[in-house]
Amino acid sequence: MMKKILIAVGGFAFWGAAALAQAQAPARPAGSMPTAEPQAGFVKSVRGNVQLLSTAGMPRAANAGDALAAVDRIVTGPDSSASVVLRDDTTLVVGPSSRLDLKEFHFNATTHEGGVLVSLLRGSMRMITGLIGKTNPDAIRVETQTATIGIRGTDFIVQSDGQP
């Protein structure tokens, strides 16, 4: 009888620990592989055909709640768009027929220090800067085919036709 009780208690302890670990872990879409790269943020919303490409070049369909790595590419189809929120609360809205590379993201939640570098290869993007932009605007950079933009405000739109 005692052995059955110990097995039952052990089973509940294992189940509780697994449930706690799952509750604390960031959401990851079914079938996706865990990444060694730190999470930069998440996809807030998707309209139409939106793909995320990792540094390994593996495309995956973007869905609301998907994790975004510190180095990822967002590709939107015609009549498509995506909204992404980074860990410092920077919001990126990527317009139709766009290709945006998140080339660098690092952020210390304690000191609010960090940096963001995005490259708009084609299409349009709206950025509303978060804590990094508020504490150190020089740490936010946007590249296009023909220019690098230094940010002094907190809400702006960039459009690039992709032709140098």
Side-chain angles (χ1 to χ4, degrees), residues 12 56 99 108 127:
F12 283 120
R99 179 173 249 144
N108 182 318
M127 179 186 276

Side-chain angles (χ1 to χ4, degrees), residues 88-91 107 127-135 140 154:
D88 75 322
D89 288 330
T90 292
T91 301
F107 177 65
M127 179 186 276
I128 304 166
T129 59
L131 292 172
I132 295 172
K134 288 175 180 41
T135 58
I140 306 287
T154 57

Side-chain angles (χ1 to χ4, degrees), residues 11 20 44 73 79 94 99 109 135 156:
L20 181 61
K44 183 174 181 180
R73 175 175 285 176
D79 300 320
V94 184
R99 179 173 249 144
T135 58
F156 60 92

Side-chain angles (χ1 to χ4, degrees), residues 9-105:
V9 170
F12 283 120
F14 177 77
W15 176 79
L20 181 61
Q22 185 177 13
Q24 292 175 343
R28 191 172 69 233
S32 70
M33 300 297 291
T35 66
E37 300 170 341
Q39 181 177 332
F42 68 96
V43 177
K44 183 174 181 180
S45 65
V46 172
R47 189 187 82 199
N49 180 21
V50 179
Q51 299 282 315
L52 297 176
L53 280 79
S54 67
T55 54
M58 296 290 296
R60 64 190 192 277
N63 295 299
D66 283 357
L68 190 68
V71 179
D72 257 345
R73 175 175 285 176
I74 303 167
V75 180
T76 60
D79 300 320
S80 302
S81 62
S83 175
V84 172
V85 178
L86 301 178
R87 283 194 349 251
D88 75 322
D89 288 330
T90 292
T91 301
L92 302 170
V93 180
V94 184
S97 301
S98 296
R99 179 173 249 144
L100 176 82
D101 282 351
L102 179 58
K103 294 179 107 177
E104 177 185 324
F105 179 83

